[in-house]
Amino acid sequence: MKLLTPYFVIIFLFTTTVFSQKAQVGTEGDSSYEDNPVTKRAIQDIEAAFLVFGDFGFMLEGEYTVVNNTISGKKYYSLGDGDKYKKVSLLMEEGKIIGADSEGSKLDIIFEGDAIKKISAESLSNFDYTFYRNAEGNVAKIENPFSNGNIQWIDFVYKNGKVSEITKYFKKGKFGKTVTTILESTPTKFKASLSEYPHKSKEFSKQRNITVSKPEENKFRIERVLNFGKGRKTNTVTDIQYTDFDKIKSWVKTTNETKKDAKEYEYLNEKLAKSSAILGNNDEILSKTIYIYFDLKEQGTSLPEYEWREGRYEFDTNNELNFVERDGKFKRKENGTWTDWQFLKM
């Protein structure tokens, strides 16, 4: 049974690729694989495309996927709703890479020798990247034509073999440049900042600054500052904490607002099993919703149903259950008494 009214919209697509950790080898059928530099470089170039597709990129690196002793793609932690991993899968024909698939979006790939020259995807807006490389073969510049006729250029700067700065800009138009600076990058620490600079024009262009950091093991922080001009500015801080990526917690707080949005995700066998969302005002709960995505009988059926039984459960400001939805039906508590089950209207 698929829940009909989930309201989680996961925002981590733009927050996480730049965080880097050494990928351990994952398998889908084999415990080892043949080291293939061409395949690994292809995956690196796909990561570079997704790195510049959003603010900070694709997803936190997980493991290579391996089929028949050959690398077939890579996993990335989703850090939120859906499966535990998002995947990039290479499409092969007669032993050659002809494309890739990213969560249902087909990536078209053109090679120049053993290196990718171009990656594009019809299903993703403005996802069209042509690579220009430095003497070491690393991506030095990307040409990215937009559907409106503008061309975005993306420059890469390296330090000690790692990307230290990425600059996006248009040669013409009112758009300013966007600069991402990697301030620190080690297996346990990461910090990067992104700044948008408005073009010198009569039209006001809002400025945005984002700082992402990994202040300690198993914890990320994203700070966003939006400057709308004339003294209008918001500062939003998101904290993300995880335990072996099986339990994810996040808290979102915006300056000048007393409300705090907290979400938790629990995975079982790489599938999202349970999630909860709490909107609070200081220590007061304004709303709370729990989703159980499939029965968790091993948790113990003597526990309340919202701990193990598939469904959607809503709580009031006193943290008391007042709404249940499952199997296409719902009931709610009115004046302290539960209503009969009613069918959801389609």
Side-chain angles (χ1 to χ4, degrees):
M1 186 266 290
K2 191 92 171 170
L3 295 179
L4 298 176
T5 54
Y7 67 89
F8 292 101
V9 178
I10 303 310
I11 62 172
F12 301 112
L13 187 65
F14 57 77
T15 60
T16 46
T17 288
V18 205
F19 307 130
S20 154
Q21 66 176 29
K22 290 197 175 180
Q24 299 175 346
V25 177
T27 62
E28 289 186 356
D30 288 292
S31 59
S32 62
Y33 66 91
E34 296 178 357
D35 197 358
N36 187 329
V38 175
T39 301
K40 283 187 173 181
R41 173 55 66 86
I43 292 174
Q44 280 183 346
D45 288 343
I46 292 171
E47 290 174 345
F50 277 108
L51 177 66
V52 298
F53 184 55
D55 290 342
F56 281 102
F58 194 48
M59 281 161 278
L60 182 65
E61 292 182 68
E63 307 166 338
Y64 287 113
T65 55
V66 177
V67 175
N68 296 327
N69 204 35
T70 302
I71 294 175
S72 61
K74 199 170 182 180
K75 296 179 178 180
Y76 303 83
Y77 292 101
S78 63
L79 289 180
D81 204 358
D83 293 343
K84 181 177 180 179
Y85 295 102
K86 306 294 183 185
K87 296 180 182 179
V88 166
S89 301
L90 299 176
L91 305 177
M92 311 289 290
E93 189 174 279
E94 298 181 354
K96 294 184 177 180
I97 301 169
I98 60 170
D101 179 272
S102 173
E103 299 300 304
S105 294
K106 184 178 181 298
L107 310 182
D108 296 312
I109 295 177
I110 297 175
F111 276 85
E112 187 175 74
D114 289 337
I116 290 178
K117 180 63 177 177
K118 182 177 180 179
I119 299 178
S120 60
E122 289 186 4
S123 61
L124 300 175
S125 178
N126 299 320
F127 193 94
D128 188 353
Y129 300 103
T130 299
F131 297 100
Y132 299 90
R133 300 178 186 276
N134 58 22
E136 289 74 34
N138 296 320
V139 177
K141 184 184 287 290
I142 291 178
E143 181 182 358
N144 178 210
F146 275 36
S147 57
N148 61 7
N150 290 322
I151 296 179
Q152 178 178 240
W153 294 92
I154 307 165
D155 293 340
F156 287 73
V157 176
Y158 292 84
K159 185 177 180 180
N160 299 325
K162 296 181 179 181
V163 176
S164 60
E165 188 173 279
I166 300 170
T167 302
K168 300 180 182 180
Y169 57 94
F170 293 89
K171 290 187 176 179
K172 293 182 179 181
K174 64 181 180 181
F175 301 101
K177 64 181 180 180
T178 301
V179 179
T180 300
T181 305
I182 311 300
L183 303 173
E184 181 181 14
S185 182
T186 70
T188 58
K189 296 280 186 178
F190 177 84
K191 189 172 184 179
S193 67
L194 177 149
S195 297
E196 285 188 350
Y197 300 92
H199 191 273
K200 291 181 179 179
S201 64
K202 292 182 180 179
E203 293 186 37
F204 175 76
S205 178
K206 68 181 179 183
Q207 298 184 62
R208 174 179 57 169
N209 295 282
I210 306 173
T211 300
V212 180
S213 59
K214 187 176 184 180
E216 58 189 69
E217 191 67 25
N218 299 345
K219 190 172 183 179
F220 298 136
R221 168 165 285 191
I222 302 109
E223 297 181 66
R224 289 176 161 263
V225 178
L226 284 171
N227 188 340
F228 299 94
K230 298 181 180 179
R232 295 180 300 138
K233 183 169 71 172
T234 63
N235 186 353
T236 301
V237 176
T238 302
D239 287 306
I240 306 166
Q241 193 167 1
Y242 61 88
T243 305
D244 298 328
F245 294 104
D246 286 322
K247 292 186 177 181
I248 309 293
K249 297 181 179 180
S250 67
W251 299 266
V252 181
K253 183 73 171 64
T254 302
T255 303
N256 301 325
E257 292 185 13
T258 58
K259 297 176 183 177
K260 184 171 73 171
D261 194 8
K263 296 180 181 178
E264 297 187 16
Y265 307 88
E266 294 186 22
Y267 297 89
L268 182 65
N269 299 325
E270 298 189 4
K271 296 290 185 182
L272 184 64
K274 179 181 178 181
S275 64
S276 64
I278 300 175
L279 183 63
N281 185 353
N282 295 322
D283 294 329
E284 179 188 4
I285 294 177
L286 300 177
S287 66
K288 175 180 174 182
T289 304
I290 293 176
Y291 286 94
I292 306 293
Y293 294 92
F294 49 85
D295 285 352
L296 304 172
K297 294 182 179 179
E298 66 277 9
Q299 301 270 22
T301 56
S302 61
L303 295 172
E305 287 187 332
Y306 57 79
E307 293 285 350
W308 66 271
R309 188 165 183 174
E310 181 178 355
R312 177 165 70 100
Y313 304 88
E314 294 183 0
F315 298 77
D316 61 20
T317 56
N318 296 317
N319 201 26
E320 293 184 2
L321 184 66
N322 67 354
F323 179 90
V324 178
E325 175 204 329
R326 63 169 173 260
D327 300 326
K329 297 181 293 184
F330 72 92
K331 64 178 180 177
R332 67 174 73 251
K333 186 180 287 187
E334 296 178 353
N335 298 321
T337 304
W338 285 98
T339 65
D340 294 331
W341 286 100
Q342 304 174 53
F343 285 97
L344 291 166
K345 295 180 180 179
M346 302 300 291

